[in-house]
């Protein structure tokens, strides 16, 4: 299953489809915490410390104003691990006010 998430075209398709639905900035982060696809192309290949923590903990993380100043590569929003067969294979991130984007992120995560 991890091989599926290593396909660059899949990254881009997922980001674009989510962006079409919710009109917010969307990122996909790999197991090493690196942004592999983004609606903001300048962020691709950047390290996202919040995404790395989310995948390591296998839990949603709300990126607050406080965390944006203490974690590398983080903007306000939400990070949700993508878990298949109890294994995290990546993280979906949506940038924006956490209370606004979290419901969208949870739907997309499912």
């Amino acid at each position: 299953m991890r091989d599926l998430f290593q396909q660059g075209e899949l990254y881009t398709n997922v980001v674009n489809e989510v962006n079409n639905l919710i009109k917010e900035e969307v990122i996909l982060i790999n197991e090493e915490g690196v942004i592999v696809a983004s609606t903001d192309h300048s962020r691709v290949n950047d390290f996202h410390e919040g995404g790395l923590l989310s995948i390591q903990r296998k839990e949603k993380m709300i990126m607050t104003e406080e965390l944006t100043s203490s974690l590398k590569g983080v903007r306000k929003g939400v990070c949700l691990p993508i878990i298949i067969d109890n294994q995290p294979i990546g993280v979906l991130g949506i940038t924006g006010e956490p209370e606004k984007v979290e419901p969208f992120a949870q739907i997309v995560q499912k």
Side-chain angles (χ1 to χ4, degrees):
M1 190 55 70
R2 291 179 193 272
D3 290 340
L4 176 65
F5 200 70
Q6 300 306 316
Q7 305 299 314
E9 189 173 331
L10 176 63
Y11 298 151
T12 303
N13 289 341
V14 169
V15 164
N16 289 337
E17 288 299 320
V18 173
N19 179 252
N20 286 336
L21 292 172
I22 64 171
K23 307 298 183 213
E24 299 288 346
E25 184 179 328
V26 179
I27 60 175
L28 282 177
I29 305 162
N30 70 12
E31 296 174 305
E32 290 80 38
V34 175
I35 298 172
V36 293
S38 175
T39 50
D40 176 356
H41 301 292
S42 69
R43 295 187 76 189
V44 174
N45 295 320
D46 285 353
F47 178 68
H48 193 286
E49 190 173 2
L52 180 62
L53 292 172
S54 179
I55 202 165
Q56 289 173 341
R57 297 175 181 172
K58 296 184 185 178
E59 63 185 36
K60 168 182 69 177
M61 292 194 61
I62 304 297
M63 299 294 117
T64 61
E65 190 72 43
E66 180 181 14
L67 289 177
T68 63
S69 62
S70 64
L71 297 177
K72 186 173 186 215
V74 171
R75 296 180 184 173
K76 279 177 45 175
V78 63
C79 287
L80 292 120
I82 300 167
I83 300 175
I84 297 177
D85 294 331
N86 204 34
Q87 293 298 314
I89 63 166
V91 173
L92 170 70
I94 301 178
T95 302
E97 291 300 322
E99 59 277 352
K100 178 181 173 192
V101 300
E102 184 180 8
F104 295 121
Q106 290 179 332
I107 290 169
V108 172
Q109 181 190 33
K110 290 182 190 291

